[in-house]
Structure formats: C-alpha cells, structure tokens
Amino acid sequence: MTRESEIRLSPGHGLHLTDMDMWLDSRRPKPWAFVSHAHSDHVARHQKILCSPITAHLLQKRYRISHERICIQDFHERRMRGKFRVTLLPAGHIAGSTMLHVEDSDTGASLLYTGDYKLRPSRSIESACLMPADTLIMESTFGLPRYVLPPSTDIEHQIGAFVKTSLADGATPVLFGYSLGKAQEIAAILDAQNLPHCQTAGVAAMTDACRQMGMNLPAPEIWRGEMPTGYALIAAPQLARQRDYARIPHARSAMLTGWALNPGARFRYRCDAAIPLSDHADFPDLLRTAEWVKPRRILTVHGSTREFAASLRSLNFNAWSHHGGDQLELFSDFL
Ligand SMILES: [Zn+2]
C-alpha cells in the first residue's frame, strides 16, 4: 500500500485524521472530534462532536454538553463527509459506544478505529460489529497473553453464587462496577437470575439515562441507606470510601473488573472477591479482531500498546504502538 492510498494520520500526540481534520477521542478540546463513548477519559468539550445517539444523550446528562455541539449519526448509517464515507458501528463496550469506519471514496483506502470495545455479547447492550479496513487503530487494554477471560456463563455464575452465598451467610452483597456501563450489565445479569437488587443514586441516574434512550433495562430501585432483605446493592467503587458504606450491616463486597485476572486483585481492591466481568476485549479477542479486519497496518492505543503490537508482529501483522517507543525494534530487524 502506498502512502497516497492510506487514510493519513497526523504525527504527534493524539489521533488526528489529517485530511478530514477530525480528532479521535481527544482529551483536549478540538474544533471537530469523534467521541466513541461517554467515559470521562474519552470526552472533552470540543466545538463539534460526532457520536452515536445514546452517547449524545449521555454527554448531555453527564457533562452538560449542549445539543448544538453534537452531530448525531446512527449505527450502520453511511454518511459522506467531503470525499469520506463515514460509518458508525456498535463497539459493545458500554451503552452508545461506537467504532468509526472511514473510507476515502477516491482511493478506496479505509480505516477502522475501535475506541474501547469488546466482542463477547452483553446482556445490556448491542454487540460489537466490525468492518474490514486497511488501517486498524485498536485499543489494547488487555494486550498481554495472560489476559484471557473465562466464558461469560462462568462469570455470570460466579456473580450469582457470590450474591446467593453472601445472603445465605446473613451478609449484604455489594457489587462494585463503574456507574456507566458495568453497573447496568451487572443489573441485567442479576435480573436474568431473578436476584433482587438496588442501585446507588449515581448508578440509578445512569441506568435511567440509558432507559430514556429505549434500552431494555429494568427500572432501578434506589438505595437510600436501608437494604431490603434479600437484596444485593450495585454501586460505583467510590462508595467503599464513603460513610454510608460503613453503615451497611455485614457488607460483603466484590469488585467486577477484567483486572480481577491479576493475582491478588481482591487484596488490591480491598474487597472480599474480585470477579473478571469486563467491558473490554481480552487478549484472544484482540487477536481475533486483527485477523477479522485484515488490516495492512495496525496502531495500538491504551494499555499494553507496545507489547501487544509486538505480539501482532510475531503473527506477521504490520503493527506499532501509537505512543511510539517500539520503532527501535523496527530498525533492529535490519541490523
Ligand atoms: Zn470506556
């Protein structure tokens, strides 16, 4: 592939599509940016934002970003922006999370940016959808071979067993997960097992915001300091540092995160259990993504970028960390 037939990226910090003058998930305010989802590490007050309808709603609810700044595009809808054909695709990470696919109508060159994503199905959101592309920019949060998640059925069983055992022991099960995304997935998992639960006000606000956009989630019961008998509580991890938490009788806590795969995770999180429920792709799914998209070049962003790019190169992909630092390895190939 010649340089002329690539979707060009500007050198330097941040991801910038040169010819569209569009930034991808920039942390700093820009004139025109794609925002893949409403987690705070992907959001800034840009002058103009491209995103999915649910992300637009969440940006307004969470960050009070006004409607006028937001340009909404539906999943799977193709829209021409100059000479570029732009498609937004579900990313399977959290509500509204989106991948960006861009194709140059003159040269046929294409690019897929995954943002945060996962391939395994969720109970609360639409599954990810990939498209082939010449250039793949992919997250690599779990880009080390040791990050292999158990099957979803096992994880859901662990969550149900933790709640039932805690209740049988007379304890109050408290499940910690981010208030947007993880918490709604936990609620859906408990619901599927007929396990009653309530949510802190912060979590319930995000659940309500998702419901307002037509997502199929049960109406949250809000925790107001009293735990009904036989209930589990879903909360953001910050609750553990608040006075209200100390007032819960016999609280027994579990952190729900992909980092639970790390040895000693429950000690690190100061919880009674750590269960590997993740909204990111694990190592095998990251590799599967590259194999499916069949790109001619890959840039890795977030997490173990250099290590994962090296794993991809060992499989004959032309893959590099966007943060650099692995070019020495490129040149050492020629020594
Ligand atoms: Zn995220």
Side-chain angles (χ1 to χ4, degrees):
M1 185 167 57
T2 62
R3 285 231 158 261
E4 288 70 38
S5 61
E6 283 177 356
I7 304 270
R8 292 192 300 152
L9 285 156
S10 305
H13 291 295
L15 291 166
H16 179 245
L17 304 183
T18 316
D19 299 312
M20 290 178 75
D21 197 13
M22 176 189 270
W23 292 83
L24 309 181
D25 281 336
S26 173
R27 298 291 301 274
R28 298 204 177 137
K30 302 290 181 188
W32 174 226
F34 167 70
V35 173
S36 64
H37 66 291
H39 278 157
S40 60
D41 56 338
H42 292 253
V43 175
R45 295 191 171 277
H46 309 296
Q47 283 173 37
K48 204 82 187 161
I49 290 171
L50 173 66
C51 64
S52 69
I54 294 180
T55 299
H57 183 68
L58 295 169
L59 291 178
Q60 288 157 20
K61 288 275 168 195
R62 277 197 121 183
Y63 309 103
R64 310 252 170 254
I65 293 178
S66 83
H67 238 308
E68 293 94 69
R69 292 183 185 215
I70 299 178
C71 179
I72 293 172
Q73 188 172 328
D74 286 322
F75 286 151
H76 306 292
E77 178 195 352
R78 288 182 173 198
R79 221 182 265 185
M80 291 305 291
R81 297 189 183 278
K83 64 169 183 158
F84 294 96
R85 193 173 293 121
V86 175
T87 311
L88 303 194
L89 300 161
H93 172 60
I94 65 162
S97 65
T98 307
M99 297 191 191
L100 175 76
H101 188 272
V102 174
E103 193 181 349
D104 185 324
S105 60
D106 288 345
T107 65
S110 56
L111 175 145
L112 179 69
Y113 168 60
T114 65
D116 288 354
Y117 81 103
K118 77 170 184 304
L119 295 185
R120 54 176 65 197
S122 303
R123 286 193 178 270
S124 58
I125 57 166
E126 212 171 321
S127 293
C129 183
L130 299 168
M131 273 174 79
D134 303 323
T135 299
L136 172 63
I137 306 173
M138 63 187 301
E139 65 128 324
S140 53
T141 303
F142 291 121
L144 299 178
R146 69 168 183 269
Y147 292 122
V148 181
L149 292 165
S152 297
T153 46
D154 290 8
I155 298 167
E156 294 194 2
H157 178 78
Q158 282 184 51
I159 294 169
F162 174 82
V163 169
K164 287 178 209 162
T165 308
S166 302
L167 292 170
D169 292 346
T172 302
V174 180
L175 301 170
F176 286 128
Y178 288 125
S179 59
L180 175 58
K182 189 66 65 68
Q184 289 74 40
E185 183 67 9
I186 298 168
I189 290 169
L190 294 184
D191 237 50
Q193 299 184 42
N194 294 316
L195 294 168
H197 52 88
C198 47
Q199 307 180 4
T200 57
V203 167
M206 288 298 101
T207 305
D208 280 333
C210 293
R211 282 167 49 80
Q212 285 159 10
M213 290 305 288
M215 287 178 59
N216 184 22
L217 292 165
E221 290 187 44
I222 301 178
W223 175 63
R224 304 201 185 276
E226 293 289 315
M227 280 297 291
T229 310
Y231 272 58
L233 175 63
I234 302 173
Q238 301 90 286
L239 179 71
R241 298 193 295 273
Q242 294 168 9
R243 214 176 287 161
D244 285 347
Y245 183 64
R247 296 202 190 106
I248 298 174
H250 310 297
R252 189 179 289 178
S253 62
M255 181 67 77
L256 274 61
T257 169
W259 301 114
L261 293 171
N262 284 333
R266 81 180 177 91
F267 300 108
R268 189 167 160 241
Y269 291 114
R270 299 180 185 189
C271 287
D272 299 297
I275 301 173
L277 178 70
S278 180
D279 40 26
H280 290 269
D282 67 356
F283 185 78
D285 278 352
L286 291 172
L287 292 181
R288 219 164 278 148
T289 302
E291 281 155 12
W292 198 93
V293 174
K294 296 193 180 10
R296 298 191 211 183
R297 64 168 174 168
I298 300 176
L299 288 176
T300 55
V301 292
H302 300 303
S304 310
T305 56
R306 281 188 283 264
E307 296 88 342
F308 184 57
S311 294
L312 287 169
R313 288 197 298 279
S314 74
L315 297 169
N316 292 323
F317 287 103
N318 173 24
W320 304 97
S321 163
H322 180 253
H323 310 300
D326 49 6
Q327 271 73 4
L328 271 180
E329 293 172 44
L330 169 69
F331 295 118
S332 68
D333 287 349
F334 299 97
L335 293 174

